[in-house]
Amino acid sequence: SPPRTPLLTADCVIVSPGRGVLMVRRKFPPFKGALALPGGFVEVGETVEQAARRELEEETGIKATDLKLVGVYSDPNRDPRWHTCTVAFLANVPDEAEATAGDDAEAVAWIKNFDGIELAFDHRKILTDALNLIR
């Protein structure tokens, strides 16, 4: 039998100069109601890049053009349910892309100011790293 390993996820950071960062409001626990980056579990048979694109489209209706690696986040405590490891990408999307909530998203929003806003998991760190990468 295969070794027990952390569950693998992929997340997308989308930054629009005029609109801010695209976030989804989580419909389900953990962090129900909190803002999160679009993302989710990698399915067997797909790459992390394919998973990032699929989850982005399922949750926001937006197709990513190109993906750039932000980093790998593997703190065993990043998800209160299980040990998960995420691969985070900076995703380019068309300027005119309109986001609509789907799948596990209760709502989608472009956020410009994150002061005092609860972000799910370790998404504040991922977001900080992604924004530093852009700068």
Side-chain angles (χ1 to χ4, degrees), residues 85-100:
C85 174
T86 200
V87 182
F89 294 97
L90 198 52
N92 280 341
V93 301
D95 286 339
E96 67 286 351
E98 283 304 319
T100 52

Side-chain angles (χ1 to χ4, degrees), residues 21-26 35-38 55-62 97-111:
V21 178
L22 184 62
M23 304 293 286
V24 299
R25 193 167 296 286
R26 288 182 57 82
L35 290 177
L37 296 167
E55 285 286 346
L56 175 64
E57 192 169 355
E58 285 175 4
E59 293 185 354
T60 70
I62 292 179
E98 283 304 319
T100 52
D103 206 25
D104 300 337
E106 184 178 44
V108 290
W110 294 94
I111 308 288

Side-chain angles (χ1 to χ4, degrees), residues 70-82:
V70 173
V72 176
Y73 300 81
S74 60
D75 183 327
N77 301 312
R78 62 179 303 276
D79 185 322
R81 301 166 294 182
W82 317 289

